[in-house]
Short mmCIF file of all heavy atoms in Angstrom, two decimals:
data_model
loop_
_atom_site.label_atom_id
_atom_site.label_comp_id
_atom_site.label_asym_id
_atom_site.label_seq_id
_atom_site.Cartn_x
_atom_site.Cartn_y
_atom_site.Cartn_z
N TYR A 14 122.44 85.55 140.40
CA TYR A 14 122.60 84.64 139.36
C TYR A 14 123.04 85.31 138.04
O TYR A 14 123.03 86.43 137.84
CB TYR A 14 121.15 83.95 139.23
CG TYR A 14 120.18 84.72 138.66
CD1 TYR A 14 119.85 84.72 137.20
CD2 TYR A 14 119.36 85.58 139.36
CE1 TYR A 14 118.77 85.54 136.69
CE2 TYR A 14 118.46 86.35 138.74
CZ TYR A 14 118.14 86.29 137.41
OH TYR A 14 117.09 87.09 136.83
N PRO A 22 115.88 76.02 129.42
CA PRO A 22 116.76 76.54 130.45
C PRO A 22 117.36 75.39 131.37
O PRO A 22 116.74 74.42 131.64
CB PRO A 22 115.79 77.38 131.33
CG PRO A 22 114.43 76.73 130.94
CD PRO A 22 114.56 76.24 129.57
N GLY A 28 127.94 73.20 144.94
CA GLY A 28 128.11 72.52 146.16
C GLY A 28 128.66 73.42 147.25
O GLY A 28 128.88 74.65 147.00
N ASN A 157 144.75 62.37 139.63
CA ASN A 157 144.48 63.59 139.10
C ASN A 157 145.12 64.82 139.79
O ASN A 157 145.53 65.67 139.13
CB ASN A 157 142.90 63.73 139.00
CG ASN A 157 142.20 62.82 137.97
OD1 ASN A 157 142.93 62.13 137.04
ND2 ASN A 157 140.96 62.53 138.20
#
Side-chain angles (χ1 to χ4, degrees):
Y14 70 98
N157 291 339

